[in-house]
């Protein structure tokens, strides 16, 4: 079995690679599949995150390069497509966002269409497909009204993945991910990057900027639950997914202030004081344009699950990223 | 004022051109705009439909040709974008549909973005953006779940037009048109072509094939109301349209059997007998996948109106296309 992970050296790609290598094979459609022979990581940034394993092959290149995409998909069975220009960057540089998030996806879909055996694709979308005006509660049936170019590109991607699947070119599944927190690594250009950095940095004694008001609600999913969901989205039988290929994932809603309170409960006031509240009206506007109250009935019926509370998310982050120890407590 | 109509030699382009030339200018945002100096008709088929007028310029070419698109948009103020690969054709030839309905639209949007003055665009989408599973009643808030490549391409187009507008590259408005009936001219490759031909052909004593069952419901709009709507979509002020750029239009719902009954009422049993009922399960499947019960609250609030009954639609067709006379009655 050959696997491709685009954006494979990013944090979620790295964690998924480790998980897959450890498992050795997947239970697909309820049946134990052939062992994983190769995992191709396609990423423009080789990064420090490449897992050292004979089964891993790094392809350094961009989704704007048809040749490298063609090479990446050759003989592939399963594809996780994470590579994207993130929200703030796609808003600041429209052409770059279109090139990667739309035209890059189209090139990938066309390359997969030419492969035999209808490769299976998990496409990662997000709740940025929604924007105001929208209902207060987002259910599976709410119409996407993106108010960012990133959100538009993700909504378009969902439609493309669904139609390529309907036609039998691929077997695609589009998951809408909540904001992932606590994301390890460095801040990126996503408007949501603070949702992780205000926890991650203080826990190692570094300062972090919170650009939004404490009462701002966010809809989040932990890395552990995100990885489970990304695997589940891949292994569900085609018939179970059905004609609607979009699966909005369950998360939990809480305010930024609640997150900080949980941090203080776990690590003390000194740690929580590492957060500098530096209001940025543009980030506030973008984050407020995303939905916070979500009911993901369809995903729950399909066996996906969110987190129970933010205290457990912090604890899991300390276990997974800090070997169970908060350095400066 | 310079106007571009893509698909300009098709029936709706021809009728709109005549209407615009007759008016001489438009009442835009409630203000009388400058006189219409030029109407460019961009169409791959020169056709017989080109209006003879010094203000009309025909550009024969396709939406897949960036040079001709660039020429077509130079200095343009208003664009009606009708050119498209229709439903059955886009389903039979996926690549052609993608090339024209998606990549052609992208080229047009990029060309308009480079023009000064934020050109105004009316983009024609349709209710084919919906497909089963969907609710029985389609309101403005129902999520598009296209089950055809044409429907997917139109849904993607709506999202693109909305984001190009939000960014200020264009001032776009996407209207979802009901099936137009009675469409003059010849049958085309749209799955819905029978919705016009079963009325149009019998009225001139020719036979027409009806490929669906009489109880099949259709959601239709007459050419007269369609032209009014296409003009209204262009002249509404930007602020009135607001952040949601998609306007699903009001039509009327009736069964194919009801349409034939109205034909018989107006033109007699002999005319209605020109219809040959030749069931085609594939056409039945496609037509049934479209919504039939629609409530277009937003458009009605914006002053758009549908037809009152099908008898008036037949009468208008006879007036507009047959000089008020049914030849063989």
């Amino acid at each position: 079995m050959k696997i491709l992970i685009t954006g494979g050296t990013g944090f979620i790609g790295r964690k998924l690679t480790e998980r897959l290598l450890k498992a050795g094979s997947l239970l697909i459609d309820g049946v134990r599949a052939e062992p994983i022979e190769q995992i191709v990581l396609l990423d423009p940034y080789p990064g420090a995150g490449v897992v050292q394993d004979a089964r891993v092959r790094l392809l350094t290149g961009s989704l704007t390069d048809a040749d490298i995409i063609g090479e990446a998909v050759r003989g592939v069975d399963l594809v996780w497509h994470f590579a994207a220009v993130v929200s703030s960057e796609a808003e600041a540089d429209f052409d770059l966002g279109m090139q990667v998030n739309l035209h890059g996806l189209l090139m990938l879909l066309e390359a997969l269409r030419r492969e035999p055996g209808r490769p299976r694709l998990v496409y990662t979308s997000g709740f940025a497909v929604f924007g105001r005006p929208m209902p207060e509660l987002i259910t599976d049936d709410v119409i996407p009204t993106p108010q960012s170019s990133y959100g538009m590109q993700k909504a378009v991607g969902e439609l493309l993945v669904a139609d390529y699947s309907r036609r039998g070119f691929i077997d695609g599944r589009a998951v809408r991910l909540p904001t992932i927190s606590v994301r390890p690594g460095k801040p990126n250009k996503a408007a949501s990057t603070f949702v992780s950095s205000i926890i991650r940095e203080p826990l190692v004694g570094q300062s972090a900027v919170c650009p939004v008001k404490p009462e701002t609600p966010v809809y989040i999913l932990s890395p552990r639950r995100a990885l489970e969901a990304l695997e589940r989205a891949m292994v569900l039988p085609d018939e179970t997914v059905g004609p609607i290929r979009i699966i909005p994932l369950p998360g939990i809603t809480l305010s930024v202030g609640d997150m900080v309170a949980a941090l203080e409960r776990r690590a003390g006031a000194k740690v929580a004081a590492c957060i500098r509240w530096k209001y940025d009206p543009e980030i506030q506007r973008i984050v407020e344009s995303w939905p916070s109250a979500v009911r993901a009935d369809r995903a729950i019926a399909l066996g996906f699950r969110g987190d129970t509370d933010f205290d457990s998310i912090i604890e899991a982050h300390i276990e997974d990223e800090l070997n169970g120890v908060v350095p400066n407590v």
Side-chain angles (χ1 to χ4, degrees), chain A:
Chain A
M1 171 148 294
K2 183 179 164 183
I3 293 173
L4 167 64
I5 305 178
T6 75
T9 71
F11 108 86
I12 202 94
R14 177 172 54 80
K15 285 194 174 288
L16 180 64
T17 304
E18 285 166 359
R19 184 184 170 96
L20 293 171
L21 290 172
K22 200 170 161 196
S25 69
L26 286 165
L27 207 62
I28 296 180
D29 304 346
V31 179
R32 179 61 55 192
E34 283 175 20
I36 295 166
E37 273 175 37
Q38 190 177 50
I39 303 179
V40 175
L41 308 178
L42 175 64
D43 206 300
Y45 314 105
V50 183
V51 184
Q52 297 301 317
D53 188 291
R55 291 165 289 177
V56 173
R57 179 182 173 212
L58 177 66
L59 264 179
T60 305
S62 155
L63 269 180
T64 57
D65 181 340
D67 290 341
I68 211 157
I69 292 174
E71 193 178 336
V73 304
R74 199 174 309 127
V76 83
D77 300 292
L78 311 177
V79 181
W80 276 276
H81 180 43
F82 300 140
V85 171
V86 294
S87 52
S88 294
E89 201 173 6
E91 199 61 19
D93 188 341
F94 180 74
D95 293 311
L96 179 66
M98 289 295 278
Q99 209 171 26
V100 172
N101 296 350
L102 177 56
H103 293 285
L105 172 65
L106 280 164
M107 278 203 276
L108 177 64
L109 291 172
E110 281 299 303
L112 291 174
R113 177 185 171 195
R114 287 189 293 270
E115 287 297 310
R118 219 170 134 247
R120 198 172 277 196
L121 169 72
V122 170
Y123 172 71
T124 47
S125 180
F127 287 86
V129 298
F130 297 101
R132 301 194 185 278
M134 63 180 169
E136 277 316 299
L137 178 68
I138 299 292
T139 62
D140 297 336
D141 300 324
V142 171
I143 189 170
T145 51
Q147 298 298 320
S148 69
S149 294
Y150 174 81
M152 174 275 284
Q153 290 146 8
K154 286 294 174 183
V156 167
E158 293 176 351
L159 288 162
L160 287 167
V161 167
D163 200 53
Y164 273 73
S165 299
R166 186 189 60 81
R167 295 196 72 119
F169 299 154
I170 61 166
D171 175 357
R173 297 99 194 271
V175 291
R176 279 188 198 142
L177 282 169
T179 300
I180 294 184
S181 175
V182 182
R183 208 181 164 282
K186 301 248 170 280
N188 65 13
K189 287 179 183 169
S192 61
T193 195
F194 74 90
V195 182
S196 288
S197 55
I198 60 167
I199 305 299
R200 184 183 59 220
E201 268 73 304
L203 278 173
V204 294
Q206 294 173 5
S207 72
V209 169
C210 185
V212 300
K213 297 174 188 162
E215 61 269 29
T216 311
V218 287
Y219 181 63
I220 63 169
L221 185 67
S222 69
R224 285 190 185 177
R225 291 295 93 77
L227 282 170
E228 279 177 18
L230 290 166
E231 181 174 324
R232 173 166 284 273
M234 186 64 89
V235 302
L236 281 177
D238 193 15
E239 320 76 75
T240 307
V241 179
I244 304 296
R245 310 306 290 192
I246 302 164
I247 309 172
L249 292 181
I252 53 170
T253 299
L254 73 172
S255 73
V256 170
D258 290 340
M259 293 175 65
V260 175
L263 177 67
E264 188 165 339
R265 272 197 298 279
R266 176 61 179 81
K270 208 180 134 205
V271 166
C274 292
I275 300 169
R276 290 189 297 122
W277 298 83
K278 204 176 152 191
Y279 182 64
D280 180 331
E282 177 59 12
I283 304 269
Q284 181 80 40
R285 187 192 67 77
I286 294 177
V287 175
E288 273 182 1
S289 78
W290 298 336
S292 52
V294 176
R295 217 183 61 212
D297 292 342
R298 186 151 176 268
I300 288 166
L302 289 171
F304 292 88
R305 60 176 182 154
D307 300 276
T308 50
D309 56 84
F310 196 64
D311 297 84
S312 321
I313 295 181
I314 293 182
E315 209 53 52
H317 173 74
I318 294 169
E319 282 175 32
D320 292 349
E321 307 298 332
L322 303 172
N323 295 313
V325 182
V326 179
N328 67 339
V329 170

